[in-house]
Amino acid sequence: MTFDDLFISRALSRRSVLVQAGAAGAALLLGAGGARAASGVSGATPQTGGTLIAVLDPEPAGLIAGITISAPAVAVSSNLFDGLVEYDETFKPRPSLATSWETAPDGTAITFHLREGVTWHDGAPFTSADVQYSLMEVTKKTHPRGNAVFANLVAVETPDPLTAVLRFARPSPVVWAAFNGTETQILPKHLYEGTNPLANPWNVKPVGTGAFVFKEWIKGDRIVLERNPNYWDKGRPSLDRVVFRIIRDAASRAAALETGEAQYIPLNPVPLSDVQRLKSSKDLVVETRGFEGPAPMYFFDFNLRREPFGDIRVRQAFAHALNRQALADTVFYGLAKPATGPVPSYQAQFYTPDVPQYDFNIAKAEALLDAAGLKKGADGVRLRIDHVPAAYGEDYRRAGEFFRQALKRIGVEVTLRNFDLPTYVKIIFTEYDFDTHSAWYSAYPDPQIGVQRRFWSQAIKKGTPSSNASGVADPEIDAVIERIQTEGDVGKRNAQVRELQRLAQVKLPSITLLELTFFRVYSSRLSGIDFSPFGGYQSLKSVQVGS
């Protein structure tokens, strides 16, 4: 069995678990809408051309997800950039910028044969030099997950313009979960070489190889992409244009869908309180498929650079004060379930429930704070802190209010600080100007991709979104993470992943709260929607609007 076959077999096993575990929850959410999604367009005739109006919120800080990573950035940039491979609905890689590949028998090299005739949107040829530059100079150095996923990548050789040979210090099957364009983007070397990728002006006017070409970005209003007439995948895209409208008000986003003003909104686009109403509409589909790959996990972070969060008793007290089930039910309307640790429960090959838990217990929380020397004052307050909720819409702001009220019960006074996404990214990941914050990160199919970055000291990357913002730097956790990255035996590696979960719960540098259920809403007149495990983030190149 080759190392890419090994990843595929793991993914297939995981997919079967997802299908079985997710069927009941999806049925409850989707109802008739799920049936429409499965059977395609309701009586509409697909047609080529036209403009798709999509809605985006929040507005991204940049349009290249591999640099200024955020969910909205991924939703846009997947249309502008291709990866070396795509994944089908069983997680099996299929050709994209690479037409074929071979893995060395010992697993220490992967040779990609690149597609001939591909050009960047500015007309420059796409070559193996772009692959080399992107992986070695951007992904490994600036991507929040890159140095974990590609930890063992030591070189990319370019024997000719259409061959890229990736050399690894040791076998790294995890990389097969990260070669798609939503995770590892290939950037134009001729526009980035010699610059700071984080500050390159092309980040806001991207030049890619994808199905659509960047046209304009009017801040606060819209991002316009147009059909790439020279796209290598002939016959695609079907659409002439995609317009991502920026609509900050949640009620207005729902209204845009219901009136037909917009046809597609990814990434939990409407208030969760509206989901049941929207799924009853014959004109709309509410779809949960397409997020199995990202596997979103919601958590509460401490800024460990600040006191009193270095005291584990304080962190434990916060964990006991937060009622996860109430959070899932009241803030997330049941589109979430309490997490037992940082790895999703449906990733059966990695997950273990045999880790410490922190039950909802106000008395325990107060006793721990007393023991830490944080006594209540005459006003009933023992600690004053700020909290920055993720800038992903009203649901996350409401979660911040939930935390404020929950912590008030144990004498912690919380001031909420809400920001737009660019400011949030700057405050949390560049300035580290917060006491606590809450966010969701994608766990991805392998914990080495999405989980480790929360806990690994080498993932503290100032200026890089979705990295280790809280400053976790624990030698014991680091050692386990590095064993996960280097262990070639699958059974031993999985045991180390379980040990990481145990340490994360014992040391509690961050409180993992919920496994989230994401969804999209779109017009039932659309066809060609991608239902693959990463479909919620994928390019719209196959989408057609029915007449």
Side-chain angles (χ1 to χ4, degrees), residues 149-165:
V149 177
F150 291 98
N152 297 319
L153 179 66
V154 295
V156 178
E157 298 171 0
T158 57
D160 62 63
L162 296 179
T163 306
V165 183

mmCIF file of all heavy atoms in Angstrom, residues 149-165:
data_model
loop_
_atom_site.group_PDB
_atom_site.id
_atom_site.type_symbol
_atom_site.label_atom_id
_atom_site.label_comp_id
_atom_site.label_asym_id
_atom_site.label_seq_id
_atom_site.Cartn_x
_atom_site.Cartn_y
_atom_site.Cartn_z
ATOM 1 N N VAL A 149 1.855 20.574 8.703
ATOM 2 C CA VAL A 149 1.544 19.608 7.651
ATOM 3 C C VAL A 149 2.785 19.239 6.854
ATOM 4 O O VAL A 149 3.028 18.069 6.538
ATOM 5 C CB VAL A 149 0.457 20.177 6.715
ATOM 6 C CG1 VAL A 149 0.191 19.212 5.567
ATOM 7 C CG2 VAL A 149 -0.817 20.439 7.486
ATOM 8 N N PHE A 150 3.581 20.255 6.524
ATOM 9 C CA PHE A 150 4.760 20.027 5.696
ATOM 10 C C PHE A 150 6.051 20.082 6.520
ATOM 11 O O PHE A 150 7.105 20.466 6.023
ATOM 12 C CB PHE A 150 4.800 21.052 4.561
ATOM 13 C CG PHE A 150 3.705 20.855 3.538
ATOM 14 C CD1 PHE A 150 2.541 21.603 3.601
ATOM 15 C CD2 PHE A 150 3.830 19.897 2.543
ATOM 16 C CE1 PHE A 150 1.523 21.421 2.671
ATOM 17 C CE2 PHE A 150 2.817 19.693 1.618
ATOM 18 C CZ PHE A 150 1.659 20.456 1.684
ATOM 19 N N ALA A 151 5.953 19.669 7.769
ATOM 20 C CA ALA A 151 7.119 19.708 8.660
ATOM 21 C C ALA A 151 8.289 18.912 8.108
ATOM 22 O O ALA A 151 9.458 19.284 8.289
ATOM 23 C CB ALA A 151 6.735 19.183 10.046
ATOM 24 N N ASN A 152 8.015 17.810 7.422
ATOM 25 C CA ASN A 152 9.076 16.932 6.928
ATOM 26 C C ASN A 152 9.479 17.218 5.484
ATOM 27 O O ASN A 152 10.330 16.519 4.937
ATOM 28 C CB ASN A 152 8.625 15.474 7.052
ATOM 29 C CG ASN A 152 8.395 15.076 8.495
ATOM 30 O OD1 ASN A 152 9.166 15.438 9.374
ATOM 31 N ND2 ASN A 152 7.315 14.338 8.753
ATOM 32 N N LEU A 153 8.856 18.220 4.868
ATOM 33 C CA LEU A 153 9.238 18.597 3.503
ATOM 34 C C LEU A 153 10.541 19.381 3.556
ATOM 35 O O LEU A 153 10.610 20.454 4.156
ATOM 36 C CB LEU A 153 8.136 19.439 2.863
ATOM 37 C CG LEU A 153 8.412 19.937 1.432
ATOM 38 C CD1 LEU A 153 8.481 18.761 0.460
ATOM 39 C CD2 LEU A 153 7.338 20.932 0.995
ATOM 40 N N VAL A 154 11.579 18.862 2.916
ATOM 41 C CA VAL A 154 12.892 19.512 2.975
ATOM 42 C C VAL A 154 13.268 20.195 1.675
ATOM 43 O O VAL A 154 14.113 21.099 1.662
ATOM 44 C CB VAL A 154 13.992 18.498 3.372
ATOM 45 C CG1 VAL A 154 13.764 18.004 4.792
ATOM 46 C CG2 VAL A 154 14.047 17.324 2.401
ATOM 47 N N ALA A 155 12.647 19.817 0.567
ATOM 48 C CA ALA A 155 13.004 20.438 -0.711
ATOM 49 C C ALA A 155 11.938 20.126 -1.751
ATOM 50 O O ALA A 155 11.223 19.119 -1.649
ATOM 51 C CB ALA A 155 14.364 19.933 -1.207
ATOM 52 N N VAL A 156 11.831 21.005 -2.735
ATOM 53 C CA VAL A 156 11.024 20.748 -3.923
ATOM 54 C C VAL A 156 11.949 20.917 -5.123
ATOM 55 O O VAL A 156 12.453 22.015 -5.380
ATOM 56 C CB VAL A 156 9.823 21.702 -4.039
ATOM 57 C CG1 VAL A 156 9.054 21.422 -5.334
ATOM 58 C CG2 VAL A 156 8.905 21.568 -2.833
ATOM 59 N N GLU A 157 12.195 19.828 -5.822
ATOM 60 C CA GLU A 157 13.076 19.865 -6.987
ATOM 61 C C GLU A 157 12.261 20.103 -8.248
ATOM 62 O O GLU A 157 11.100 19.685 -8.352
ATOM 63 C CB GLU A 157 13.844 18.546 -7.096
ATOM 64 C CG GLU A 157 14.748 18.278 -5.899
ATOM 65 C CD GLU A 157 15.344 16.878 -5.916
ATOM 66 O OE1 GLU A 157 15.049 16.109 -6.876
ATOM 67 O OE2 GLU A 157 16.083 16.541 -4.977
ATOM 68 N N THR A 158 12.878 20.797 -9.201
ATOM 69 C CA THR A 158 12.192 21.138 -10.449
ATOM 70 C C THR A 158 13.054 20.703 -11.639
ATOM 71 O O THR A 158 13.675 21.530 -12.306
ATOM 72 C CB THR A 158 11.922 22.651 -10.512
ATOM 73 O OG1 THR A 158 13.170 23.359 -10.370
ATOM 74 C CG2 THR A 158 10.989 23.085 -9.401
ATOM 75 N N PRO A 159 13.086 19.397 -11.924
ATOM 76 C CA PRO A 159 13.931 18.916 -13.022
ATOM 77 C C PRO A 159 13.539 19.467 -14.385
ATOM 78 O O PRO A 159 14.371 19.540 -15.292
ATOM 79 C CB PRO A 159 13.756 17.398 -12.956
ATOM 80 C CG PRO A 159 12.475 17.178 -12.216
ATOM 81 C CD PRO A 159 12.387 18.303 -11.243
ATOM 82 N N ASP A 160 12.272 19.844 -14.544
ATOM 83 C CA ASP A 160 11.815 20.510 -15.751
ATOM 84 C C ASP A 160 10.564 21.315 -15.389
ATOM 85 O O ASP A 160 10.012 21.164 -14.297
ATOM 86 C CB ASP A 160 11.557 19.510 -16.886
ATOM 87 C CG ASP A 160 10.459 18.514 -16.553
ATOM 88 O OD1 ASP A 160 9.299 18.937 -16.356
ATOM 89 O OD2 ASP A 160 10.747 17.297 -16.488
ATOM 90 N N PRO A 161 10.096 22.182 -16.288
ATOM 91 C CA PRO A 161 8.979 23.069 -15.936
ATOM 92 C C PRO A 161 7.687 22.367 -15.566
ATOM 93 O O PRO A 161 6.832 22.976 -14.916
ATOM 94 C CB PRO A 161 8.797 23.917 -17.208
ATOM 95 C CG PRO A 161 10.135 23.916 -17.861
ATOM 96 C CD PRO A 161 10.691 22.552 -17.602
ATOM 97 N N LEU A 162 7.531 21.110 -15.947
ATOM 98 C CA LEU A 162 6.283 20.409 -15.679
ATOM 99 C C LEU A 162 6.441 19.244 -14.705
ATOM 100 O O LEU A 162 5.582 18.373 -14.618
ATOM 101 C CB LEU A 162 5.662 19.913 -16.994
ATOM 102 C CG LEU A 162 5.231 21.009 -17.974
ATOM 103 C CD1 LEU A 162 4.655 20.393 -19.242
ATOM 104 C CD2 LEU A 162 4.217 21.946 -17.336
ATOM 105 N N THR A 163 7.541 19.233 -13.959
ATOM 106 C CA THR A 163 7.766 18.185 -12.958
ATOM 107 C C THR A 163 8.216 18.816 -11.655
ATOM 108 O O THR A 163 9.165 19.600 -11.629
ATOM 109 C CB THR A 163 8.832 17.181 -13.431
ATOM 110 O OG1 THR A 163 8.470 16.654 -14.710
ATOM 111 C CG2 THR A 163 8.957 16.035 -12.427
ATOM 112 N N ALA A 164 7.516 18.480 -10.575
ATOM 113 C CA ALA A 164 7.889 18.941 -9.236
ATOM 114 C C ALA A 164 8.054 17.713 -8.354
ATOM 115 O O ALA A 164 7.137 16.901 -8.233
ATOM 116 C CB ALA A 164 6.829 19.865 -8.658
ATOM 117 N N VAL A 165 9.230 17.571 -7.764
ATOM 118 C CA VAL A 165 9.536 16.430 -6.903
ATOM 119 C C VAL A 165 9.653 16.927 -5.464
ATOM 120 O O VAL A 165 10.553 17.698 -5.140
ATOM 121 C CB VAL A 165 10.838 15.730 -7.324
ATOM 122 C CG1 VAL A 165 11.079 14.508 -6.449
ATOM 123 C CG2 VAL A 165 10.798 15.351 -8.802
#
